[in-house]
Amino acid sequence: MGGSSSGPGVHLVHLWPPHFTLPGHSSGDLGPHSGSALLVSLASEVQDLHLAQRKEMASGFSKEPPVGLLPEVPSLMETLSYSYCYVGIMTGPFFRYRTYLDWLEQPFPEAVPSLRPLLRRAWPAPLFGLLFLLSSHLFPLEAVREDAFYARPLPARLFYMIPVFFAFRMRFYVAWIAAECGCIAAGFGAYPVAAKARAGGGPTLQCPPPSSPEEATSLEYDYETIRNIDCYNTDFCVRVRDGMRYWNMTVQWWLAQYIYKSAPARSYVLRSAWTMLLSAYWHGLHPGYYLSFLTIPLCLAAEGSLESAVRPRLGPSGQQAWDWVHWLLKMRAYDYMCMGFVLLSMADTLRYWASVYFCIHVLALAGLGLGLALGGGGPRRRKVATPAQASPPAQEKLREE
């Protein structure tokens, strides 16, 4: 069984995915769920195979293949089967060809649990569904498009984006939990826990397949490869950049692997801006997508600058207070950006943002200026050890950062 480690996670996102929505058509989904996303990934996997073969020929001896390497180049029929796999079309989380192949070649599929993992994953969905229906009924989005809305006091206009984003999250939590449950019901994306699988990329450690039904039954499995949402951490992580990692997680891996890493810049913020721009294009041509996505790099720059300039100077209680305020501002930034994402048009988005005086843009610019004035830098990788010196868990942490 195989997979690969991924690069930094970057991105924010939307709804239920038909795999074959074309750019320029609003799918309601904020990520590269189309068949072309699968083929981009497959092309990269094939390239990795060719590179490994050339290195083996040059060295003259056989090495243990990297984690997740394909055994051979798939045929045209195998490629079409992967592109039109019913699990992907009907549920939506992005998956690599290696994940698809491991599913087909699972030696003892009857030993892979599905019912209990499905029930554990599905139980919050009814609650989230009820919260979505309640919040969207009490705070309908259409009210923001009416002239009467802008006659309300400023505090009421500011508050309204909070329940709008709440309903937005509840809707996607239900959709993505259902998508994951569809995969789990088919036993798709199951790997032994020892493989340390990551969303989208699959296993990060070699894990030989079991040799007998008894050995297969004794293993503990998880479905982290097709995990698309971490509801708790999405809501309660502190930083903007971390919140993006827990949202549409399999697509985060795709974006990090194939967009972020190849961005024409070295800066984290500029790479993120490039990724956000292409992500907005994948969602469609609605201006609201671009206005929202391209606000994220500004928030990331302000966040990184302030955090590096101020937080280290505070004591333990001060840092705790800082994190609480940081979390509060992160959620309000997401509320604000969500309005562009749901209103879609430039006129409606700018009208709402103007009615709250572009508060998040102003706060982000002020925070960036203050952070730079205090000597803060931008977001950067944390250096806990060099890759050569780090232990395996530390190396994994470095790859995550």
Side-chain angles (χ1 to χ4, degrees):
M1 297 183 182
S4 77
S5 61
S6 73
V10 280
H11 192 43
L12 186 124
V13 208
H14 209 117
L15 176 77
W16 195 263
H19 259 307
F20 298 97
T21 300
L22 298 174
H25 293 72
S26 176
S27 67
D29 183 28
L30 299 186
H33 285 301
S34 69
S36 57
L38 299 180
L39 297 181
V40 166
S41 174
L42 177 56
S44 178
E45 292 184 77
V46 170
Q47 182 183 42
D48 290 343
L49 174 61
H50 288 320
L51 289 173
Q53 290 172 338
R54 285 200 291 269
K55 287 181 180 179
E56 184 176 324
M57 292 177 62
S59 64
F61 61 91
S62 178
K63 298 180 181 179
E64 182 179 5
V67 179
L69 193 69
L70 295 181
E72 60 184 7
V73 178
S75 67
L76 174 61
M77 184 58 66
E78 289 168 333
T79 300
L80 291 173
S81 298
Y82 166 59
S83 298
Y84 288 91
C85 174
Y86 77 91
V87 173
I89 294 174
M90 297 302 294
T91 65
F94 164 80
F95 53 89
R96 301 169 67 228
Y97 182 82
R98 182 74 219 203
T99 302
Y100 166 75
L101 189 63
D102 289 342
W103 175 58
L104 293 181
E105 296 181 349
Q106 174 66 252
F108 305 103
E110 66 280 356
V112 177
S114 59
L115 180 59
R116 287 186 179 179
L118 187 152
L119 294 176
R120 283 198 300 268
R121 188 61 187 135
W123 75 264
L127 174 61
F128 292 152
L130 288 174
L131 290 173
F132 162 70
L133 293 173
L134 180 63
S135 57
S136 59
H137 174 72
L138 294 176
F139 302 94
L141 176 63
E142 287 306 311
V144 183
R145 294 190 172 97
E146 298 172 358
D147 293 339
F149 176 84
Y150 296 95
R152 300 181 184 183
L154 175 61
R157 299 196 301 271
L158 278 169
F159 170 78
Y160 208 86
M161 64 185 182
I162 297 176
V164 167
F165 183 47
F166 179 82
F168 179 89
R169 296 201 309 282
M170 295 304 105
R171 175 167 59 130
F172 290 108
Y173 290 172
V174 173
W176 279 328
I177 287 173
E180 291 179 33
C181 287
C183 292
I184 294 170
F188 189 96
Y191 287 98
V193 171
K196 296 188 180 299
R198 297 180 63 186
T204 58
L205 297 177
Q206 294 284 8
C207 187
S211 57
S212 67
E214 293 75 21
E215 182 184 351
T217 303
S218 68
L219 292 174
E220 183 181 359
Y221 294 86
D222 64 35
Y223 287 87
E224 289 301 309
T225 300
I226 51 85
R227 185 176 180 85
N228 218 35
I229 186 68
D230 184 331
C231 303
Y232 179 85
N233 281 314
T234 296
D235 280 5
F236 296 108
C237 68
V238 171
R239 300 186 298 176
V240 171
R241 66 184 299 189
D242 291 333
M244 295 188 294
R245 292 180 178 180
Y246 299 118
W247 180 272
N248 208 358
M249 295 165 70
T250 62
V251 172
Q252 297 284 359
W253 184 90
W254 190 96
L255 288 166
Q257 197 76 3
Y258 306 117
I259 305 300
Y260 181 90
K261 283 185 173 182
S262 61
R266 298 298 300 169
S267 161
Y268 172 79
V269 172
L270 292 179
R271 284 186 170 198
S272 298
W274 174 251
T275 306
M276 296 301 108
L277 178 63
L278 293 183
S279 183
Y281 172 70
W282 271 104
H283 283 82
L285 299 180
H286 295 289
Y289 292 152
Y290 295 84
L291 291 170
S292 294
F293 275 120
L294 294 178
T295 300
I296 293 175
L298 174 61
C299 293
L300 291 173
E303 175 181 75
S305 180
L306 273 177
E307 188 176 41
S308 63
V310 179
R311 193 177 188 277
R313 304 180 184 183
L314 304 175
S317 59
Q319 289 187 354
Q320 187 175 16
W322 172 272
D323 288 344
W324 190 90
V325 173
H326 193 165
W327 168 82
L328 185 68
L329 292 175
K330 177 211 78 172
M331 293 305 295
R332 302 297 73 80
Y334 279 143
D335 295 337
Y336 180 86
M337 290 183 283
C338 176
M339 297 305 291
F341 210 83
V342 295
L343 291 172
L344 296 178
S345 77
M346 180 177 291
D348 288 339
T349 301
L350 294 180
R351 185 185 189 192
Y352 177 78
W353 284 355
S355 78
V356 295
Y357 301 101
F358 295 96
C359 55
I360 294 301
H361 286 97
V362 171
L363 282 174
L365 288 170
L368 177 60
L370 178 61
L372 293 175
L374 294 175
R380 56 175 62 90
R381 295 179 182 178
R382 297 175 182 175
K383 296 181 180 179
V384 296
T386 65
Q389 297 170 336
S391 63
Q395 291 180 22
E396 181 62 25
K397 181 63 178 174
L398 283 171
R399 283 196 294 267
E400 290 178 2
E401 291 294 333

